[in-house]
Amino acid sequence: MSSLGQMVAGIAHEINNPINFIYGNIEHTKNYFQDLLEIIQIYQQKYLQVETEIEERVKEIDLEFIISDLPKILCSMKMGTERIRQLVLSLRNFSRLDEAEVKYVDLHEGIDNTLLILNNRIKDKIEIIKKYGELPLVECYLAQINQVFINILNNAIDALISAREQLQKQIVIQTQLIASDSIQIKIKDNGIGITLEIQNKIFDPFFTTKPVGSGTGLGLSICYQVMEKYQGKIVVNSQLNRGTEFAISLPIKQLHSS
């Protein structure tokens, strides 16, 4: 996980500077083009008699279309770079390698960053329903907790994608304070569910129900180990044809050994 985090942070850092350069200059480019287009319009108003060569070239390039379409293209480019900037920020927040020790962090931010990273898999196929409660900051190493989120959400997405005949696919994420010193996060899908036999093995290392080459079977085992490290719990509750729910419980403050 550490090597993966280093790679993600490195890529995010390398992408960040050129993207910021492009994003910052799109607005200037838009203004420059607007000025040029205004000059062209003034020429068209002042000089009604145009040289034949110019008139032919105007028709050839379809100047009217360019004038109407160019601002739209620049707007789309700006939206695209903004999307990349958000993704890079999420990758940096997801890895959090600049934090060498546990800190009090916002778990909602961790969930949101994870969802943004997984957005390509979710898209319009799966509805994400957030039922966020009022959570305090929780003492943990967010990069490791994010690994728990991404593994559970990936499994939920896989379960829903495999249920091809199901029209309405949902993942519900609920957070709440369950005691003065602990919080709970529930991630529930409405997929086909898991049999009791598989539930009893689901946190075993290398256990997987996926086809060969589709996964290592380490995802949920890692989740279990991370929860043990933070004196937390992770339990699964599933019924066939009624979906699967993972409940994560974490103490707000870690009990540090002296």
Side-chain angles (χ1 to χ4, degrees), residues 177-193:
L177 187 69
I178 56 173
S180 60
D181 59 351
S182 60
I183 62 95
Q184 186 178 67
I185 299 168
K186 293 181 178 179
I187 300 175
K188 179 177 174 59
D189 66 69
N190 63 340
I192 59 175

Side-chain angles (χ1 to χ4, degrees), residues 147-178:
Q147 288 294 328
V148 175
F149 296 151
I150 203 166
N151 281 320
I152 293 176
L153 286 167
N154 254 327
N155 280 330
I157 292 167
D158 287 341
L160 290 172
I161 290 176
S162 64
R164 293 184 178 87
E165 72 285 351
Q166 188 169 334
L167 298 178
Q168 189 176 22
K169 302 179 180 182
Q170 295 179 337
I171 296 176
V172 179
I173 305 171
Q174 182 178 5
T175 65
Q176 59 183 334
L177 187 69
I178 56 173

Side-chain angles (χ1 to χ4, degrees), residues 40-218:
I40 291 173
Q41 289 173 339
I42 291 172
Y43 267 98
Q44 288 176 320
Q45 293 169 5
K46 295 292 184 181
Y47 299 96
L48 300 179
Q49 297 298 324
V50 183
E51 293 289 336
T52 304
E53 183 180 351
I54 297 175
E55 188 174 4
E56 289 177 353
R57 183 58 178 161
V58 166
K59 291 180 180 179
E60 183 181 337
I61 66 172
D62 197 350
L63 181 60
E64 287 187 10
F65 175 76
I66 291 175
I67 290 174
S68 65
D69 197 50
L70 186 57
K72 299 175 185 176
I73 292 174
L74 290 169
C75 183
S76 296
M77 291 171 65
K78 186 174 182 180
M79 289 173 61
T81 52
E82 174 62 26
R83 170 70 180 164
I84 297 172
R85 287 177 75 226
Q86 291 176 358
L87 182 56
V88 169
L89 179 61
S90 294
L91 287 170
R92 293 176 68 181
N93 289 338
F94 183 86
S95 61
R96 287 289 177 94
L97 285 181
D98 54 330
E99 297 177 359
E101 57 186 18
V102 292
K103 293 184 177 180
Y104 284 95
V105 298
D106 182 354
L107 293 183
H108 289 155
E109 179 186 342
I111 296 170
D112 290 341
N113 288 329
T114 305
L115 288 171
L116 186 55
I117 290 169
L118 293 173
N119 187 63
N120 186 55
R121 299 199 67 209
I122 298 168
K123 290 187 175 178
D124 299 326
K125 307 171 190 173
I126 300 170
E127 181 185 9
I128 303 295
I129 301 173
K130 298 178 185 177
K131 296 182 178 180
Y132 288 174
E134 292 291 332
L135 291 188
L137 298 180
V138 175
E139 188 182 19
C140 65
Y141 187 21
L142 187 56
Q144 293 182 353
I145 300 299
N146 283 342
Q147 288 294 328
V148 175
F149 296 151
I150 203 166
N151 281 320
I152 293 176
L153 286 167
N154 254 327
N155 280 330
I157 292 167
D158 287 341
L160 290 172
I161 290 176
S162 64
R164 293 184 178 87
E165 72 285 351
Q166 188 169 334
L167 298 178
Q168 189 176 22
K169 302 179 180 182
Q170 295 179 337
I171 296 176
V172 179
I173 305 171
Q174 182 178 5
T175 65
Q176 59 183 334
L177 187 69
I178 56 173
S180 60
D181 59 351
S182 60
I183 62 95
Q184 186 178 67
I185 299 168
K186 293 181 178 179
I187 300 175
K188 179 177 174 59
D189 66 69
N190 63 340
I192 59 175
I194 306 171
T195 65
L196 185 59
E197 181 184 3
I198 293 177
Q199 289 181 52
N200 293 333
K201 301 176 183 177
I202 206 165
F203 296 114
D204 294 346
F206 302 106
F207 177 79
T208 180
T209 59
K210 298 176 183 177
V212 175
S214 298
T216 63
L218 284 172

Side-chain angles (χ1 to χ4, degrees), residues 29-46:
T29 304
K30 181 180 177 182
N31 293 334
Y32 295 156
F33 271 116
Q34 188 62 43
D35 291 341
L36 292 172
L37 293 176
E38 287 177 2
I39 290 176
I40 291 173
Q41 289 173 339
I42 291 172
Y43 267 98
Q44 288 176 320
Q45 293 169 5
K46 295 292 184 181

Side-chain angles (χ1 to χ4, degrees), residues 8-19 88 92:
V8 168
I11 292 172
H13 177 73
E14 290 300 321
I15 294 175
N16 190 51
N17 288 337
I19 285 299
V88 169
R92 293 176 68 181

